[in-house]
Amino acid sequence: MSVLTAFTGLFRRELSLAWAGGGGAALPAAFFLGMAALGPFALGENLDVAPKAAAAILWLALALATLLALDRMFQADLEEGVLEQLALSANPLEAGALAKILAQWVAVGLPLAGLSPLGALIMGAPPAGTPALALSLAVGSLAFFALGAIGAALAAGLKRAGLLIAILVLPFLAAPLIFGAAAGARALSGQAFAEPLLLVAATALFGLALAPPACAAALRLHLD
Amino acid sequence: MISGFANPERFMRLSAKLLPWISGVAVALFAVGLPWALYFAPPDYQQHDSARIMYVHVPAAWLAMALYAGMAAASVSSLVWRHALADVAARAMAPIGAAFTAVCLVTGALWGQPMWGAWWVWDARLTSVLVLFFVYLGYLALWAAIEDETRASRAAAILCLVGAANLPIVKFSVDWWNTLHQPASVFRADGPTMHPSLLHPLLVMALAFTCAAAALVLAEMRVFILRRRAESLTLRRRRAT
């Protein structure tokens, strides 16, 4: 089997696993919108800043939804021996890691980005900037999943992996979050947002270059 | 196995001889540097005596970064050459580097309050150092989470190398962004911009911090090796009975 066939096969498998059964992609979406609704509750007395804080709250919601998805990213495959099969196959484990990252992005990240205009609107943000906000979240979730996958791969199979992944990954999510929230906030307030958006894209590309070898090296540790 | 054991053996002999000397030099440098920096050096023309926090803050910041760079170098040699001492060195440097990062952040806050009117601002330098602190904590958490020592050292080495991407961001944050934190004034292409009367005590303090850090890392490495030895001895004894 060529690398490309294996890659697309794995990508499709990930997508169908993410979307099939147990609520599928609706589950992270419900979590994301629920977090977006909790934002105004938390603001409470300061509800008047909600339109300004909308981008920040949605970016936080995206980060939390990503952490929840990262928890299971490699865990099930490790338990069921799928990773062992991937490592034994002639194709590089790096390609498998890349396929899983891209699949998580498409299955979880992009739907959340698509829902973000709705989240921004319930916080009273002006509709004009919401497509650009969604774009920033779409690019940012790729950075989150690429950088986060490294932590997920390192902590897979350990006790209390979920909490450990969060601690390992949080510092790496800081860069895309800083630039992404800035891009989103500028887009919502009608300012030029190209510069921070390009920096988010840069962190995503950096993550995509770094994550496959780092994930593969981490996964091989668990398979020895 | 034999070469792996021979190396720590030689390290234990060498470090036993070196450790008192390095500690002594550190104490002597502190004995000169602390009074010089905190009393005899002239006060800053703008910040007066509060600028003296610099003599603790700046060396702590340098060492926070230098120790992480050391961990990254040790992680490379642990991953690539499976060097028996490298993972011990990386593990020993982590808590000390984290402590220096904490000292840097706390003294920075104490300095920021009178000078900037705020304990903390979210500029690029402060944020990237805070991220460095979290990377240190994550590294220590990963070591603690994996019981098997070889596996833990490899996993931690991977994490350390990924986190090393933050180091240039810390260093160049003051050039890339408009920060409230001042730009570099010692390590510059055109030479230090600091007056020698302030620069010299700072360099003595930096040397003192470096020797103290080296002594702490050596002592910590010795503790790890001794503990490893004690564990294998208990295992052997248990097997014998």
Side-chain angles (χ1 to χ4, degrees):
Chain A
M1 207 175 1
S2 79
V3 177
L4 202 65
T5 332
F7 183 84
T8 46
L10 194 62
F11 181 79
R12 275 209 222 109
R13 170 182 176 271
E14 285 295 311
L15 277 193
S16 40
L17 276 180
W19 281 335
L27 218 54
F31 174 80
F32 181 73
L33 282 183
M35 284 302 299
L38 281 182
F41 296 162
L43 288 175
E45 301 278 305
N46 301 313
L47 200 56
D48 49 319
V49 302
K52 279 190 150 184
I57 292 169
L58 288 170
W59 266 89
L60 266 183
L62 180 75
L64 291 174
T66 309
L67 285 180
L68 283 184
L70 286 176
D71 190 14
R72 297 297 300 166
M73 191 166 171
F74 295 107
Q75 188 76 33
D77 283 355
L78 188 67
E79 284 164 4
E80 290 159 9
V82 179
L83 286 177
E84 214 146 302
Q85 295 302 317
L86 278 179
L88 285 173
S89 81
N91 296 313
L93 195 52
E94 283 81 356
L98 183 63
K100 285 184 77 80
I101 290 167
L102 291 178
Q104 290 286 329
W105 177 51
V106 172
V108 181
L110 288 185
L112 298 189
L115 279 174
S116 64
L118 186 59
L121 288 178
I122 61 172
M123 281 182 260
T130 51
L133 171 73
L135 178 65
S136 78
L137 284 162
V139 179
S141 69
L142 180 58
F144 277 1
F145 273 113
L147 294 167
I150 301 171
L154 282 170
L158 299 177
K159 272 179 254 161
R160 304 213 291 166
L163 195 59
L164 186 64
I165 290 172
I167 290 172
L168 296 184
V169 159
L170 278 179
F172 301 121
L173 300 193
L177 183 77
I178 289 168
F179 301 126
R186 285 192 199 175
L188 285 185
S189 62
Q191 291 167 283
F193 56 86
E195 189 196 334
L197 185 63
L198 287 174
L199 283 168
V200 183
T203 60
L205 291 175
F206 177 77
L208 277 182
L210 187 68
C215 286
L219 292 174
R220 283 196 195 99
L221 281 181
H222 298 301
L223 295 174
D224 286 347
Chain B
M1 185 65 216
I2 291 168
S3 66
F5 193 67
N7 257 337
E9 196 65 21
R10 201 180 314 146
F11 167 80
M12 289 304 274
R13 263 186 282 125
L14 200 66
S15 60
K17 274 183 213 148
L18 273 177
L19 195 52
W21 284 100
I22 298 179
S23 317
V25 171
V27 169
L29 282 169
F30 272 121
V32 175
L34 273 178
W36 191 1
L38 298 183
Y39 188 75
F40 295 106
D44 184 78
Y45 79 103
Q46 272 181 328
Q47 306 189 359
H48 308 294
D49 280 334
S50 10
R52 294 185 197 279
I53 301 178
M54 171 186 79
Y55 299 112
V56 179
H57 175 75
V58 174
W62 285 346
L63 277 163
M65 288 174 66
L67 283 168
Y68 197 91
M71 275 163 61
S75 298
V76 169
S77 50
S78 153
L79 279 178
V80 177
W81 298 292
R82 304 279 150 88
H83 190 285
L85 277 174
D87 52 334
V88 180
R91 174 70 184 80
M93 279 186 252
I96 296 158
F100 277 121
T101 316
V103 167
C104 168
L105 288 169
V106 170
T107 52
L110 292 175
W111 196 2
Q113 167 56 26
M115 288 306 125
W116 301 339
W119 299 104
W120 185 264
V121 290
W122 290 101
D123 84 357
R125 173 53 75 76
L126 279 70
T127 308
S128 55
V129 174
L130 188 65
V131 166
L132 177 68
F133 185 59
F134 286 137
V135 173
Y136 268 122
L137 293 189
Y139 181 89
L140 288 167
L142 190 60
W143 260 103
I146 307 179
E147 276 170 32
D148 178 61
E149 204 174 310
T150 1
R151 196 171 286 186
S153 77
R154 303 252 201 91
I158 295 169
L159 182 73
C160 174
L161 290 181
V162 174
N166 186 38
L167 273 192
I169 300 181
V170 174
K171 167 75 184 131
F172 295 111
S173 54
V174 285
D175 305 324
W176 292 343
W177 287 281
N178 241 334
T179 51
L180 191 54
H181 191 285
Q182 61 156 11
S185 50
V186 178
F187 294 118
R188 294 166 58 100
D190 52 352
T193 54
M194 204 183 276
H195 193 268
S197 63
L198 303 176
L199 182 64
H200 291 160
L202 177 63
L203 292 180
V204 171
M205 284 299 281
L207 266 181
F209 267 70
T210 309
C211 288
L216 286 170
V217 169
L218 276 184
E220 181 119 349
M221 284 176 73
R222 289 176 61 81
V223 169
F224 278 114
I225 291 171
L226 287 174
R227 190 184 295 155
R228 202 185 267 177
R229 232 181 250 177
E231 269 162 19
S232 67
L233 276 178
T234 12
L235 270 181
R236 208 179 297 164
R237 196 166 299 164
R238 228 176 267 161
R239 237 174 258 153
T241 51

Coordinates of all heavy atoms in Angstrom, one line a residue, chain A residues 108-176:
Chain A
V108 N -13.4 18.1 14.1 CA -13.8 18.9 15.3 C -13.5 20.4 15.2 O -14.4 21.2 15.4 CB -12.9 18.3 16.5 CG1 -13.3 19.1 17.8 CG2 -13.2 16.8 16.7
G109 N -12.4 20.7 14.7 CA -12.0 22.2 14.6 C -12.8 23.0 13.7 O -13.4 24.0 14.0
L110 N -13.0 22.5 12.4 CA -13.7 23.3 11.4 C -15.2 23.5 11.8 O -15.7 24.6 11.6 CB -13.5 22.7 10.0 CG -12.1 22.8 9.4 CD1 -12.1 22.3 8.0 CD2 -11.7 24.3 9.4
P111 N -15.9 22.4 12.3 CA -17.3 22.7 12.7 C -17.4 23.7 13.7 O -18.3 24.6 13.7 CB -17.8 21.3 13.2 CG -16.9 20.3 12.5 CD -15.6 21.0 12.3
L112 N -16.5 23.7 14.7 CA -16.5 24.7 15.8 C -16.3 26.1 15.2 O -17.0 27.1 15.6 CB -15.5 24.4 16.9 CG -15.6 23.1 17.6 CD1 -14.7 23.0 18.8 CD2 -17.1 22.9 18.1
A113 N -15.4 26.2 14.3 CA -15.1 27.5 13.7 C -16.4 28.0 12.9 O -16.8 29.2 13.0 CB -13.9 27.4 12.7
G114 N -17.0 27.0 12.3 CA -18.3 27.4 11.5 C -19.4 27.8 12.5 O -20.2 28.7 12.1
L115 N -19.4 27.3 13.7 CA -20.4 27.7 14.7 C -20.1 29.0 15.3 O -21.0 29.6 16.0 CB -20.6 26.6 15.7 CG -21.4 25.4 15.4 CD1 -21.3 24.4 16.5 CD2 -22.8 25.8 15.1
S116 N -18.9 29.5 15.2 CA -18.5 30.6 16.1 C -19.2 31.9 15.7 O -19.5 32.7 16.7 CB -16.9 30.9 15.9 OG -16.6 31.2 14.6
P117 N -19.7 32.2 14.5 CA -20.5 33.4 14.3 C -21.7 33.4 15.1 O -22.1 34.4 15.7 CB -20.8 33.3 12.8 CG -19.7 32.6 12.2 CD -19.3 31.5 13.2
L118 N -22.4 32.2 15.3 CA -23.5 32.1 16.1 C -23.2 32.5 17.6 O -23.9 33.3 18.2 CB -24.1 30.7 16.1 CG -25.4 30.4 16.8 CD1 -26.5 31.2 16.2 CD2 -25.7 28.9 16.7
G119 N -22.0 31.9 18.1 CA -21.6 32.3 19.4 C -21.3 33.8 19.6 O -21.7 34.4 20.6
A120 N -20.7 34.4 18.5 CA -20.4 35.8 18.6 C -21.7 36.6 18.6 O -21.9 37.6 19.3 CB -19.6 36.2 17.4
L121 N -22.7 36.2 17.8 CA -24.0 36.9 17.8 C -24.7 36.9 19.1 O -25.3 37.9 19.5 CB -24.8 36.3 16.6 CG -24.4 36.7 15.2 CD1 -25.3 36.0 14.2 CD2 -24.3 38.2 15.0
I122 N -24.7 35.7 19.8 CA -25.5 35.7 21.0 C -24.8 36.5 22.1 O -25.4 36.9 23.1 CB -25.7 34.2 21.6 CG1 -24.4 33.6 21.9 CG2 -26.6 33.4 20.7 CD1 -24.5 32.2 22.6
M123 N -23.5 36.9 21.9 CA -22.9 37.8 22.8 C -23.0 39.3 22.3 O -22.4 40.2 22.9 CB -21.4 37.5 23.0 CG -21.2 36.3 23.9 SD -19.5 35.8 24.2 CE -19.3 34.5 23.1
G124 N -23.7 39.5 21.3 CA -24.0 40.8 20.8 C -22.9 41.5 20.0 O -22.9 42.7 19.8
A125 N -22.0 40.6 19.4 CA -21.0 41.2 18.5 C -21.6 41.6 17.2 O -22.6 40.9 16.7 CB -19.9 40.2 18.3
P126 N -21.1 42.6 16.5 CA -21.6 43.0 15.2 C -21.4 41.9 14.2 O -20.3 41.3 14.1 CB -20.8 44.3 14.9 CG -19.6 44.2 15.7 CD -20.0 43.5 17.0
P127 N -22.4 41.6 13.4 CA -22.3 40.4 12.4 C -21.2 40.6 11.4 O -20.7 39.6 10.9 CB -23.7 40.4 11.8 CG -24.5 41.4 12.5 CD -23.7 42.3 13.3
A128 N -20.9 41.8 11.0 CA -20.0 42.0 9.9 C -18.6 41.3 10.1 O -18.1 40.8 9.1 CB -19.8 43.5 9.7
G129 N -18.1 41.3 11.3 CA -16.8 40.7 11.5 C -16.8 39.3 11.7 O -15.7 38.7 11.9
T130 N -18.0 38.6 11.8 CA -18.0 37.2 12.3 C -17.4 36.2 11.3 O -16.8 35.3 11.7 CB -19.4 36.8 12.6 OG1 -20.3 37.1 11.5 CG2 -19.9 37.4 13.9
P131 N -17.5 36.5 9.9 CA -16.8 35.5 9.0 C -15.3 35.5 9.3 O -14.7 34.4 9.3 CB -17.1 36.0 7.6 CG -18.4 36.8 7.8 CD -18.3 37.4 9.2
A132 N -14.7 36.7 9.5 CA -13.3 36.7 9.7 C -12.9 36.1 11.0 O -11.9 35.4 11.2 CB -12.8 38.2 9.7
L133 N -13.8 36.2 12.0 CA -13.6 35.6 13.3 C -13.5 34.0 13.1 O -12.7 33.3 13.6 CB -14.7 35.9 14.3 CG -14.7 35.1 15.6 CD1 -13.5 35.5 16.5 CD2 -16.0 35.3 16.3
A134 N -14.5 33.5 12.3 CA -14.6 32.1 12.0 C -13.3 31.7 11.3 O -12.7 30.6 11.6 CB -15.8 31.8 11.2
L135 N -12.8 32.5 10.4 CA -11.6 32.2 9.7 C -10.4 32.0 10.7 O -9.6 31.1 10.6 CB -11.3 33.2 8.6 CG -10.0 33.0 7.8 CD1 -10.1 31.8 7.0 CD2 -9.7 34.3 7.0
S136 N -10.3 33.0 11.6 CA -9.2 32.9 12.6 C -9.3 31.7 13.4 O -8.3 31.0 13.7 CB -9.2 34.2 13.5 OG -10.2 34.1 14.5
L137 N -10.5 31.3 13.8 CA -10.7 30.1 14.6 C -10.4 28.8 13.8 O -9.8 27.8 14.3 CB -12.1 30.0 15.2 CG -12.4 30.9 16.3 CD1 -13.9 31.1 16.5 CD2 -11.8 30.3 17.6
A138 N -10.7 28.8 12.5 CA -10.4 27.7 11.6 C -8.9 27.5 11.5 O -8.4 26.3 11.7 CB -11.0 27.9 10.2
V139 N -8.2 28.6 11.3 CA -6.7 28.5 11.2 C -6.1 28.1 12.6 O -5.2 27.2 12.7 CB -6.1 29.8 10.7 CG1 -4.6 29.7 10.6 CG2 -6.6 30.1 9.4
G140 N -6.7 28.7 13.6 CA -6.2 28.5 15.0 C -6.4 27.0 15.4 O -5.5 26.5 16.1
S141 N -7.5 26.4 15.1 CA -7.7 25.1 15.5 C -6.8 24.1 14.9 O -6.4 23.1 15.5 CB -9.2 24.6 15.3 OG -9.4 24.5 13.9
L142 N -6.3 24.4 13.7 CA -5.2 23.6 13.1 C -4.0 23.7 13.9 O -3.3 22.7 14.2 CB -5.0 24.0 11.6 CG -3.9 23.2 10.9 CD1 -4.2 21.8 10.8 CD2 -3.7 23.8 9.5
A143 N -3.6 24.9 14.3 CA -2.4 25.1 15.2 C -2.6 24.3 16.5 O -1.7 23.7 17.0 CB -2.2 26.6 15.4
F144 N -3.8 24.4 17.1 CA -4.1 23.8 18.4 C -3.9 22.3 18.2 O -3.3 21.6 19.1 CB -5.6 24.1 18.8 CG -5.7 25.4 19.5 CD1 -4.6 26.2 19.7 CD2 -7.0 25.8 20.0 CE1 -4.8 27.5 20.4 CE2 -7.1 27.0 20.6 CZ -6.0 27.8 20.8
F145 N -4.5 21.7 17.2 CA -4.5 20.2 17.1 C -3.0 19.8 16.7 O -2.6 18.7 17.2 CB -5.5 19.7 16.0 CG -6.8 19.5 16.6 CD1 -7.9 20.3 16.3 CD2 -7.0 18.5 17.6 CE1 -9.1 20.1 16.8 CE2 -8.2 18.3 18.2 CZ -9.3 19.1 17.8
A146 N -2.3 20.5 15.9 CA -0.9 20.1 15.6 C -0.1 20.2 16.8 O 0.6 19.2 17.1 CB -0.4 21.0 14.5
L147 N -0.1 21.3 17.5 CA 0.8 21.4 18.7 C 0.3 20.5 19.8 O 1.1 19.9 20.6 CB 0.8 22.9 19.2 CG 1.5 23.9 18.2 CD1 1.2 25.3 18.5 CD2 3.0 23.6 18.1
G148 N -1.0 20.5 20.0 CA -1.6 19.7 21.1 C -1.4 18.2 20.9 O -1.2 17.4 21.9
A149 N -1.3 17.7 19.6 CA -1.1 16.3 19.4 C 0.2 15.8 20.0 O 0.3 14.6 20.4 CB -1.1 16.0 17.9
I150 N 1.2 16.7 20.1 CA 2.5 16.3 20.7 C 2.3 15.9 22.1 O 2.7 14.8 22.6 CB 3.5 17.4 20.5 CG1 3.7 17.8 19.1 CG2 4.8 17.0 21.2 CD1 4.5 19.0 18.9
G151 N 1.6 16.8 22.9 CA 1.3 16.4 24.3 C 0.4 15.2 24.4 O 0.6 14.4 25.3
A152 N -0.6 15.1 23.5 CA -1.5 13.9 23.5 C -0.7 12.6 23.3 O -0.9 11.6 24.0 CB -2.6 14.1 22.5
A153 N 0.3 12.7 22.4 CA 1.0 11.5 22.1 C 2.0 11.2 23.3 O 2.2 10.0 23.6 CB 1.9 11.7 20.8
L154 N 2.5 12.2 23.9 CA 3.4 11.9 25.0 C 2.7 11.3 26.2 O 3.2 10.5 26.9 CB 4.1 13.3 25.5 CG 5.3 13.7 24.6 CD1 5.7 15.1 25.0 CD2 6.4 12.8 24.7
A155 N 1.5 11.8 26.4 CA 0.8 11.4 27.7 C -0.2 10.2 27.4 O -0.8 9.7 28.4 CB 0.0 12.5 28.2
A156 N -0.3 9.7 26.2 CA -1.2 8.6 25.9 C -0.9 7.4 26.7 O 0.3 7.0 26.9 CB -1.2 8.2 24.4
G157 N -1.9 6.8 27.3 CA -1.7 5.6 28.1 C -1.2 5.8 29.5 O -1.1 4.8 30.3
L158 N -1.0 7.0 29.9 CA -0.6 7.3 31.3 C -1.8 7.5 32.2 O -2.9 7.8 31.7 CB 0.3 8.5 31.4 CG 1.6 8.4 30.6 CD1 2.4 9.7 30.7 CD2 2.5 7.3 31.1
K159 N -1.5 7.4 33.5 CA -2.6 7.6 34.5 C -2.9 9.1 34.4 O -2.0 10.0 34.3 CB -2.1 7.3 35.9 CG -2.4 5.8 36.2 CD -1.9 5.5 37.6 CE -0.6 4.7 37.6 NZ 0.2 4.7 38.7
R160 N -4.2 9.4 34.5 CA -4.7 10.8 34.5 C -4.1 11.6 33.3 O -3.7 12.7 33.5 CB -4.3 11.5 35.8 CG -4.8 10.8 37.1 CD -5.1 11.7 38.2 NE -4.0 12.4 38.7 CZ -4.0 13.4 39.5 NH1 -5.2 13.9 39.8 NH2 -2.9 13.9 40.0
A161 N -4.2 10.9 32.2 CA -3.6 11.5 31.0 C -4.3 12.8 30.6 O -3.6 13.7 30.2 CB -3.7 10.5 29.8
G162 N -5.6 12.9 30.9 CA -6.3 14.1 30.5 C -5.7 15.4 31.1 O -5.4 16.4 30.4
L163 N -5.5 15.3 32.4 CA -4.9 16.5 33.1 C -3.5 16.7 32.7 O -3.1 17.9 32.5 CB -5.0 16.2 34.6 CG -4.8 17.3 35.6 CD1 -5.8 18.4 35.3 CD2 -4.9 16.9 37.0
L164 N -2.7 15.6 32.5 CA -1.3 15.8 32.1 C -1.2 16.4 30.7 O -0.4 17.3 30.5 CB -0.7 14.4 32.1 CG 0.8 14.5 31.9 CD1 1.6 15.2 33.0 CD2 1.4 13.1 31.7
I165 N -2.1 16.0 29.8 CA -2.1 16.6 28.5 C -2.3 18.1 28.6 O -1.6 18.9 27.9 CB -3.2 15.9 27.6 CG1 -2.8 14.5 27.2 CG2 -3.4 16.7 26.3 CD1 -3.9 13.7 26.5
A166 N -3.3 18.5 29.4 CA -3.6 19.9 29.5 C -2.4 20.7 30.0 O -2.1 21.7 29.5 CB -4.8 20.1 30.5
I167 N -1.7 20.1 31.0 CA -0.5 20.8 31.5 C 0.6 20.9 30.5 O 1.3 21.9 30.4 CB 0.0 20.1 32.8 CG1 -1.1 20.4 33.9 CG2 1.3 20.7 33.3 CD1 -0.8 19.6 35.2
L168 N 0.8 19.8 29.8 CA 1.9 19.8 28.8 C 1.6 20.7 27.6 O 2.5 21.4 27.1 CB 2.0 18.4 28.2 CG 2.5 17.3 29.1 CD1 2.7 16.0 28.4 CD2 3.8 17.7 29.8
V169 N 0.3 20.8 27.3 CA 0.0 21.5 26.0 C -0.3 23.0 26.2 O 0.0 23.8 25.3 CB -1.3 20.8 25.4 CG1 -2.0 21.6 24.5 CG2 -0.9 19.5 24.8
L170 N -0.8 23.4 27.4 CA -1.2 24.8 27.6 C -0.1 25.8 27.2 O -0.4 26.7 26.5 CB -1.6 25.0 29.0 CG -3.0 24.6 29.4 CD1 -3.3 24.8 30.8 CD2 -4.0 25.3 28.5
P171 N 1.2 25.6 27.5 CA 2.2 26.6 27.1 C 2.3 26.7 25.6 O 2.5 27.8 25.0 CB 3.5 26.2 27.7 CG 3.3 24.8 28.2 CD 1.8 24.6 28.5
F172 N 2.0 25.6 24.9 CA 2.2 25.6 23.4 C 1.0 26.2 22.8 O 1.0 26.7 21.6 CB 2.4 24.2 22.9 CG 3.7 23.6 23.5 CD1 3.6 22.4 24.2 CD2 4.9 24.2 23.3 CE1 4.8 21.8 24.7 CE2 6.0 23.7 23.9 CZ 6.0 22.5 24.6
L173 N -0.2 26.2 23.5 CA -1.4 26.8 22.9 C -1.3 28.3 23.1 O -2.1 29.0 22.4 CB -2.7 26.2 23.5 CG -2.9 24.7 23.4 CD1 -4.3 24.4 23.8 CD2 -2.6 24.2 22.0
A174 N -0.4 28.8 23.9 CA -0.4 30.2 24.2 C -0.2 31.1 23.0 O -0.9 32.1 22.7 CB 0.6 30.5 25.3
A175 N 0.8 30.7 22.1 CA 1.1 31.6 21.0 C -0.1 31.7 20.0 O -0.5 32.8 19.7 CB 2.3 31.0 20.3
P176 N -0.7 30.5 19.5 CA -1.8 30.7 18.6 C -3.0 31.4 19.3 O -3.7 32.2 18.6 CB -2.2 29.3 18.2 CG -1.4 28.4 19.0 CD -0.3 29.1 19.6

